[in-house]
Amino acid sequence: MEQFKVVMNDNEIPTQWYNIQADMPTPMKPPLHPGTGKPLGPDDLAPVFPMNLIEQEVSQERWIDIPFEVLEKYLLWRPTPLYRARNFEKLLGAPVKIYFKHEGISPAGSHKPNTAVPQAYYNKVFGIKRIATETGAGQWGSALAMACKMFDLECRVYMVRVSYEQKPYRRLMMNTWGAECIPSPSTLTNAGRNVLAAHPDSPGSLGIAISEAVEDAVTHENSRYSLGSVLNHVLMHQTIIGLEAQKQMKTLGIYPDVVIGCAGGGSNFAGIALPFARDKIHGKKVTIIGAEPASCPTMTKGPFAYDFGDLAKMTPLLPMYTLGHDFVPAPIHAGGLRYHGMAPVISHLVREKVMEARAYDQLETFDAGVKWARTEGFIPAPETNHAIAAVVDEARRAKEEGKEKVILFDWSGHGLVDLASYDAYLSGKLEAYELPDEEIQRALKAIEGLPKP
Amino acid sequence: MEQFKVVMNDNEIPTQWYNIQADMPTPMKPPLHPGTGKPLGPDDLAPVFPMNLIEQEVSQERWIDIPFEVLEKYLLWRPTPLYRARNFEKLLGAPVKIYFKHEGISPAGSHKPNTAVPQAYYNKVFGIKRIATETGAGQWGSALAMACKMFDLECRVYMVRVSYEQKPYRRLMMNTWGAECIPSPSTLTNAGRNVLAAHPDSPGSLGIAISEAVEDAVTHENSRYSLGSVLNHVLMHQTIIGLEAQKQMKTLGIYPDVVIGCAGGGSNFAGIALPFARDKIHGKKVTIIGAEPASCPTMTKGPFAYDFGDLAKMTPLLPMYTLGHDFVPAPIHAGGLRYHGMAPVISHLVREKVMEARAYDQLETFDAGVKWARTEGFIPAPETNHAIAAVVDEARRAKEEGKEKVILFDWSGHGLVDLASYDAYLSGKLEAYELPDEEIQRALKAIEGLPKP
């Protein structure tokens, strides 16, 4: 019988995260204080994050031990299986072997709990009692809700109002895990009240929700803020995906020619890619591809610049590929990829040509996702469909070149709570969309006058 | 580190199903032809099912080989992990070790694909081109849709109209897997048209949908009907769950004192229980409990009698515990458990005291399910919550008796597409409901005059 997957026992789970800071080919630019424009110090972040996470954020250590209490929670669904997609391979008829990490089997259905659990743990250890965060489509909010309940922390999630109303299932996941989910803009914060005063019917935005969550965290006792992507420590927590994949592929005696992940803020892509990026920096030959939406082409069309992480300009200035902090992506169904910037770590590695990026149109991604569901069974999240579209693209290239390739990608989550998007696709309601260059140029005006990296 | 789960490699998957017919302590009563009242022969079923499945239905062989092509599809998600619920154990604080099989990781999110895949395969091998079936809440319809696509069969699912409208996500799963999902009653069949003529606004029922699907199958070329529970061969396909659990528990050197499954038509309960029932028949000491809803207490309050499987009296007469074929259970959220009868195999084993049954109120089951989600992470389906309520009940008894117990149960599926039911529970909209005895007596009038077993 052919082998379809590699499973690992509990005692084979990696016990350290990998921190790529120790292997960066060149130093990264520092984040800057939004007020002074000077490099940010750990103390600047102390009101927002607990110090133990800030230490991780700036750490240069290559390996960071995963605390026992975090491993115990990881073991509820990790190690995730490494799958070989034999049925999808047959459909493509290309000279490729396709492997994927199945992150959809986590309780929240995505890779997000990989960082939600340690973030909740470190906050708990630091003496924090409650966490505030924001969420767009709800993947992050639901993962953090679960993690907070596991460590007995209160959790409040500001959810972009339009998603709150359109996507009740992820809100209900948060409630089931005991978190409070508030439609944003809300009347609970100054930031929310100001928006509502000017626009009583505001549908909300991720930018507004971030502002509300940060304000909430710094104005409540024993509270901190938590972010689900972009930051160094968040990406580092996700490296457990790639580290497991490396162990699993080793048991098969193979190494991938191509590593693929979908990329929004960068945490999922980093999770599968960073351990392989380390190998590449040290001389290994491997192509590492981040798949982003053509409607939000941060890495493929944005400049590398200092920019704010949010619309309200409350965050530090981060050195990253960006479309400008007031760029509003088209309302595509892959809500998790609708972010104007890209994690500084990923941005730096793309600049250094350790990684590369490709953009795919929404229609192309759903075409790939439906083909996947009909051969491999599992229905992918709209975000994951971007990675699958890149796999299809790589398979086509391999066929054209007549070259055998081993492809590894991260199947970041299932689409069972996103089925309305499949309905739109299957009933012909989705259209191809090319983002006009003028729109990008207009959006980039927002970063004029900011410091240059 | 404590162990949380036992995983198995692809090559450790069981390669045979277990058929309890070979070990029955006493012979079962035969099904009867609805017209003649005489025992049913294989030929009577030939217009409805392919002969290879009919042969399985009447087989007395103890072990049936799982075809290679079915194993290849099983391996997409099987073997499922055997989990130890350490966090839930801590919460209960009782002297119990709780193990469960995680059937929620299948692509459809439940145990249903275990029989959908072989049914699609056997139909394909027999030369059938399309399958018709019915579905209530949609678990079965979605699983069969996926299986049919895998074997390139057309699939039409008649879905009870009220569920079709209230539960769009499972319908969208069917569409994504390429099946046609028709709200029932429909204008596509005589059965449907007759209902609509009398009741244009009919919300539909499982009984009507069965009639439509059977009529559809027998009136289309190269078509057959498929059923997701109750029948012998369906239960046998599910035994892969219990067989895997036995192998996994053996690696731990333990044997359960109590085996639990939720029971609607009987297929999920059979899946975990029948391999252990075999041991019990041969002298092993083990308590086997089917957990049913208090609002549909088939085994705990119904008589053992011959009854029809459907409202329209088109099916054979089956010897089973029943509340009468026109009993309409209260609209509880565990749609998969709202069936008036119980699989003849399960019914026979309950009569023989190999198994027993307990009924739990919906409120009690959601209380157990929310506690589960908040400790173990995974959100259970409303059906699964009945099994968890039985686990809580057993743990309480163990505490009272001061006796250590090993409990094994089947975690039959996740509740991510059923979150509206959690919303109803968490917002206090669910109420306890005691089914009045008079209502049962009234419903049982439907079986007066039928042959007695």
Side-chain angles (χ1 to χ4, degrees):
Chain A
M1 183 114 52
E2 291 177 320
Q3 192 175 5
F4 282 80
K5 55 193 174 312
V6 180
V7 294
M8 290 202 295
N9 292 313
D10 286 5
N11 57 16
E12 296 173 283
I13 194 169
T15 56
Q16 298 182 310
W17 292 298
Y18 168 59
N19 182 9
I20 196 152
Q21 298 299 333
D23 290 299
M24 278 294 187
T26 55
M28 285 177 65
K29 307 277 173 190
L32 305 180
H33 191 286
T36 65
K38 298 234 171 89
L40 207 70
D43 289 345
D44 294 321
L45 294 170
V48 181
F49 298 107
M51 194 50 77
N52 47 11
L53 281 176
I54 296 170
E55 282 162 11
Q56 285 194 352
E57 182 66 17
V58 300
S59 170
Q60 299 293 313
E61 293 294 319
R62 182 171 289 113
W63 299 103
I64 307 267
D65 287 342
I66 305 176
F68 179 80
E69 293 82 353
V70 171
L71 281 175
E72 273 199 332
K73 300 304 176 193
Y74 273 178
L75 288 176
L76 292 177
W77 74 96
R78 306 206 71 86
T80 61
L82 175 79
Y83 273 78
R84 170 112 182 248
R86 290 185 185 272
N87 296 294
F88 195 61
E89 285 174 15
K90 262 178 225 160
L91 180 79
L92 297 180
V96 293
K97 290 178 183 163
I98 302 171
Y99 293 87
F100 67 99
K101 281 290 277 183
H102 191 339
E103 293 297 305
I105 65 169
S106 84
S110 79
H111 66 293
K112 289 291 186 191
N114 295 332
T115 184
V117 167
Q119 288 197 47
Y121 167 76
Y122 285 112
N123 272 281
K124 177 78 178 183
V125 166
F126 195 69
I128 302 303
K129 305 287 186 211
R130 67 186 282 285
I131 296 182
T133 195
E134 77 290 329
T135 198
Q139 287 102 329
W140 168 243
S142 54
L144 189 67
M146 179 190 80
C148 283
K149 179 53 71 178
M150 286 175 170
F151 291 105
D152 200 20
L153 294 167
E154 285 177 53
C155 179
R156 180 182 282 172
V157 181
Y158 291 87
M159 184 170 185
V160 176
R161 183 180 295 272
V162 60
S163 297
Y164 180 92
E165 283 160 6
Q166 285 176 357
K167 304 193 179 222
Y169 277 49
R170 286 226 170 75
R171 163 171 66 82
L172 294 176
M173 287 166 77
M174 297 179 225
N175 295 155
T176 301
W177 282 315
E180 209 184 346
C181 180
I182 309 283
S184 164
S186 78
T187 56
L188 299 179
T189 65
N190 284 327
R193 284 187 293 267
N194 288 343
V195 173
L196 288 173
H199 309 283
D201 296 327
S202 166
S205 75
L206 212 47
I208 299 167
I210 293 177
S211 306
E212 288 209 273
V214 173
E215 179 185 330
D216 179 303
V218 299
T219 56
H220 282 78
E221 218 175 329
N222 279 323
S223 293
R224 288 294 184 281
Y225 168 72
S226 173
L227 189 64
S229 191
V230 179
L231 299 179
N232 299 352
H233 69 277
V234 178
L235 273 58
M236 187 190 73
H237 296 155
Q238 293 291 355
T239 60
I240 184 119
I241 302 172
L243 294 170
E244 284 180 7
Q246 288 188 324
K247 281 182 99 165
Q248 288 163 317
M249 294 197 96
K250 206 170 174 185
T251 68
L252 299 173
I254 52 176
Y255 194 91
D257 300 298
V258 186
V259 175
I260 293 171
C262 62
S267 79
N268 163 68
F269 180 40
I272 189 83
L274 292 183
F276 294 94
R278 177 188 183 214
D279 294 348
K280 185 166 182 174
I281 291 165
H282 294 294
K284 192 95 185 172
K285 196 166 167 286
V286 53
T287 303
I288 303 175
I289 302 168
E292 63 181 13
S295 57
C296 189
T298 314
M299 294 183 284
T300 48
K301 299 228 173 145
F304 181 80
Y306 270 116
D307 196 6
F308 295 100
D310 67 329
L311 184 71
K313 308 186 199 181
M314 290 175 68
T315 72
L317 285 163
L318 300 174
M320 61 182 178
Y321 286 99
T322 179
L323 296 167
H325 54 267
D326 61 7
F327 175 74
V328 179
I332 61 164
H333 286 283
L337 306 184
R338 294 178 68 233
Y339 186 64
H340 69 275
M342 178 51 59
V345 161
I346 298 293
S347 297
H348 189 70
L349 290 167
V350 170
R351 279 196 92 199
E352 293 288 338
K353 303 202 186 309
V354 176
M355 299 173 165
E356 58 197 86
R358 294 200 196 135
Y360 295 96
D361 181 76
Q362 183 165 235
L363 266 186
E364 200 176 350
T365 66
F366 273 99
D367 180 66
V370 168
K371 285 191 175 120
W372 182 275
R374 291 181 179 183
T375 50
E376 295 290 326
F378 294 99
I379 299 176
E383 292 83 4
T384 310
N385 287 346
H386 288 72
I388 300 174
V391 170
V392 172
D393 187 16
E394 271 302 300
R396 187 185 46 74
R397 290 171 194 230
K399 206 171 181 174
E400 284 170 8
E401 297 165 16
K403 250 171 90 176
E404 291 190 4
K405 276 186 193 172
V406 174
I407 300 173
L408 167 69
F409 80 101
D410 196 41
W411 203 91
S412 57
H414 67 63
L416 297 183
V417 192
D418 308 281
L419 282 166
S421 61
Y422 280 86
D423 194 27
Y425 171 71
L426 292 168
S427 56
K429 284 180 201 141
L430 291 193
E431 287 179 8
Y433 172 74
E434 182 94 20
L435 180 67
D437 276 340
E438 313 85 76
E439 205 176 312
I440 298 175
Q441 294 316 318
R442 202 160 43 235
L444 286 175
K445 293 220 169 81
I447 60 171
E448 283 174 13
L450 294 178
K452 303 283 172 233
Chain B
M1 184 115 51
E2 291 177 319
Q3 192 175 4
F4 282 80
K5 55 192 174 312
V6 179
V7 294
M8 290 202 294
N9 291 314
D10 286 5
N11 58 15
E12 296 173 283
I13 193 169
T15 57
Q16 298 182 309
W17 292 298
Y18 168 60
N19 182 9
I20 197 154
Q21 297 299 332
D23 290 299
M24 278 294 186
T26 56
M28 285 176 66
K29 308 277 174 191
L32 305 180
H33 191 285
T36 65
K38 298 234 171 89
L40 207 70
D43 289 345
D44 294 321
L45 293 170
V48 181
F49 299 106
M51 193 51 76
N52 46 12
L53 281 176
I54 296 171
E55 282 162 12
Q56 284 193 353
E57 182 66 17
V58 300
S59 170
Q60 300 292 313
E61 292 294 318
R62 182 171 289 113
W63 299 103
I64 308 266
D65 286 342
I66 305 176
F68 179 80
E69 292 83 353
V70 172
L71 280 175
E72 273 199 333
K73 301 304 177 194
Y74 273 178
L75 287 178
L76 292 177
W77 73 96
R78 307 207 70 86
T80 60
L82 175 78
Y83 273 77
R84 171 113 181 247
R86 290 187 185 271
N87 296 295
F88 196 60
E89 285 174 15
K90 261 177 226 161
L91 181 79
L92 296 180
V96 292
K97 290 178 184 164
I98 301 171
Y99 292 87
F100 66 100
K101 281 290 278 183
H102 190 340
E103 293 297 304
I105 65 168
S106 85
S110 78
H111 67 293
K112 289 290 186 192
N114 295 332
T115 185
V117 167
Q119 288 197 48
Y121 167 76
Y122 284 113
N123 272 280
K124 178 78 178 182
V125 166
F126 194 69
I128 302 304
K129 304 289 185 208
R130 65 186 284 285
I131 296 182
T133 196
E134 78 289 328
T135 198
Q139 286 102 330
W140 168 243
S142 55
L144 189 67
M146 179 189 81
C148 283
K149 179 53 71 180
M150 285 175 171
F151 290 106
D152 200 20
L153 294 168
E154 284 178 53
C155 179
R156 180 182 282 171
V157 181
Y158 290 87
M159 184 168 186
V160 176
R161 184 180 294 273
V162 60
S163 296
Y164 180 93
E165 284 160 6
Q166 285 176 355
K167 304 194 179 220
Y169 277 50
R170 285 228 171 74
R171 163 171 67 81
L172 294 177
M173 286 165 78
M174 296 180 225
N175 295 155
T176 301
W177 282 315
E180 209 183 346
C181 180
I182 309 283
S184 165
S186 78
T187 56
L188 300 179
T189 65
N190 284 326
R193 285 187 293 266
N194 289 343
V195 173
L196 288 173
H199 309 282
D201 296 328
S202 166
S205 74
L206 212 47
I208 298 167
I210 293 177
S211 305
E212 289 209 273
V214 172
E215 179 185 331
D216 179 302
V218 300
T219 56
H220 282 77
E221 221 175 327
N222 279 323
S223 293
R224 289 293 185 281
Y225 168 73
S226 174
L227 190 64
S229 190
V230 179
L231 298 179
N232 299 351
H233 69 278
V234 179
L235 273 58
M236 187 191 72
H237 296 155
Q238 294 290 355
T239 60
I240 184 118
I241 303 171
L243 294 170
E244 284 180 6
Q246 288 189 324
K247 282 182 98 166
Q248 288 163 316
M249 294 198 96
K250 206 170 174 185
T251 67
L252 298 174
I254 53 175
Y255 194 91
D257 300 297
V258 185
V259 175
I260 293 171
C262 63
S267 80
N268 164 68
F269 180 40
I272 189 83
L274 292 184
F276 293 95
R278 179 189 181 212
D279 293 349
K280 185 165 182 176
I281 291 165
H282 294 294
K284 193 95 185 172
K285 196 165 168 284
V286 52
T287 303
I288 304 175
I289 302 167
E292 63 182 13
S295 57
C296 189
T298 314
M299 294 183 284
T300 48
K301 299 230 175 144
F304 181 78
Y306 269 117
D307 195 7
F308 295 100
D310 68 328
L311 184 72
K313 308 186 199 179
M314 290 175 68
T315 72
L317 286 163
L318 300 173
M320 60 182 179
Y321 286 99
T322 178
L323 296 167
H325 54 265
D326 61 6
F327 176 74
V328 179
I332 60 163
H333 287 282
L337 306 184
R338 295 179 67 234
Y339 186 64
H340 70 276
M342 178 50 59
V345 161
I346 299 294
S347 296
H348 189 69
L349 290 167
V350 170
R351 278 197 91 199
E352 293 287 338
K353 304 203 185 310
V354 176
M355 299 173 164
E356 59 197 85
R358 293 198 197 138
Y360 295 95
D361 182 76
Q362 182 166 237
L363 266 187
E364 199 176 351
T365 68
F366 273 99
D367 179 66
V370 168
K371 284 189 176 123
W372 182 275
R374 291 181 178 183
T375 50
E376 295 291 326
F378 293 99
I379 299 176
E383 292 81 4
T384 310
N385 286 346
H386 288 72
I388 300 174
V391 170
V392 173
D393 188 16
E394 271 302 300
R396 187 185 46 75
R397 289 171 194 229
K399 204 171 182 173
E400 283 170 9
E401 296 165 18
K403 250 170 90 175
E404 290 189 7
K405 276 186 193 172
V406 174
I407 300 173
L408 168 70
F409 80 100
D410 195 42
W411 204 89
S412 56
H414 66 63
L416 297 184
V417 193
D418 308 281
L419 283 167
S421 61
Y422 280 87
D423 195 27
Y425 171 71
L426 292 168
S427 56
K429 285 180 199 141
L430 292 193
E431 288 180 7
Y433 172 74
E434 183 93 21
L435 181 67
D437 276 340
E438 311 87 74
E439 203 177 311
I440 298 176
Q441 294 315 317
R442 201 160 45 233
L444 286 175
K445 292 219 170 84
I447 60 171
E448 283 174 13
L450 294 179
K452 304 283 173 232

